[in-house]
Amino acid sequence: MMTESKKPQLQAILVMDSRKTSLAVRHRNFTGAWSQLYKAGDFYLDLSLKPDNHKAYLQGYIVADPSQLAQIQGSTALRNEQTQLTAPISLTGSFRLEVPQGGEYHLEIALQDQVIRLDHIEI
């Protein structure tokens, strides 16, 4: 269970989803792989899923104006009814989570001054 935060909550808005592009544009070697770009306040969130045998890796990168780089410190939490995964955000704004099974998840990114929420991610 995620803890309730007093920080301002930002709902991320989907800007681009590679699963909605034609196969000619997508890379054919990664069946099941996808990339998504979200906008949340002053930040962009670049997410990608990389399948690897019986697991997958959800990788993220928070893109911010250079003046806001200090604000991207924090952690991520990916959860559904069966699973809760957490990972710190690196100094470069990236994170990586090993996801053991597919399904619908919720992602919460707790930054220094605010929280970015993605309520529905299909893995």
Side-chain angles (χ1 to χ4, degrees):
M1 171 182 273
M2 287 188 219
T3 58
E4 291 297 317
S5 174
K6 303 287 185 200
K7 297 176 185 178
Q9 304 275 315
L10 296 174
Q11 185 65 39
I13 298 168
L14 182 64
V15 175
M16 188 279 304
D17 186 344
S18 69
R19 293 177 289 189
K20 296 187 178 169
T21 60
S22 73
L23 287 177
V25 176
R26 294 176 64 186
H27 194 287
R28 293 178 185 260
N29 292 339
F30 294 109
T31 303
W34 52 256
S35 296
Q36 296 177 330
L37 181 65
Y38 290 87
K39 174 97 168 100
D42 294 332
F43 302 99
Y44 283 93
L45 174 61
D46 184 2
L47 282 182
S48 60
L49 183 73
K50 307 289 185 194
D52 183 24
N53 294 326
H54 299 290
K55 58 188 170 194
Y57 294 94
L58 181 66
Q59 299 174 167
Y61 184 70
I62 299 167
V63 181
D65 183 276
S67 66
Q68 296 179 312
L69 291 179
Q71 295 179 31
I72 63 173
Q73 297 173 13
S75 62
T76 61
L78 183 70
R79 68 172 170 88
N80 65 13
E81 292 179 5
Q82 297 83 25
T83 306
Q84 169 114 11
L85 307 166
T86 60
I89 299 171
S90 75
L91 294 175
T92 61
S94 64
F95 61 90
R96 182 176 175 176
L97 296 158
E98 182 180 316
V99 184
Q101 62 186 17
E104 188 173 302
Y105 288 83
H106 304 280
L107 179 64
E108 185 174 283
I109 301 169
L111 302 175
Q112 189 172 19
D113 297 328
Q114 55 202 339
V115 175
I116 297 173
R117 297 179 54 95
L118 285 81
D119 289 329
H120 303 287
I121 297 176
E122 188 67 36
I123 295 180

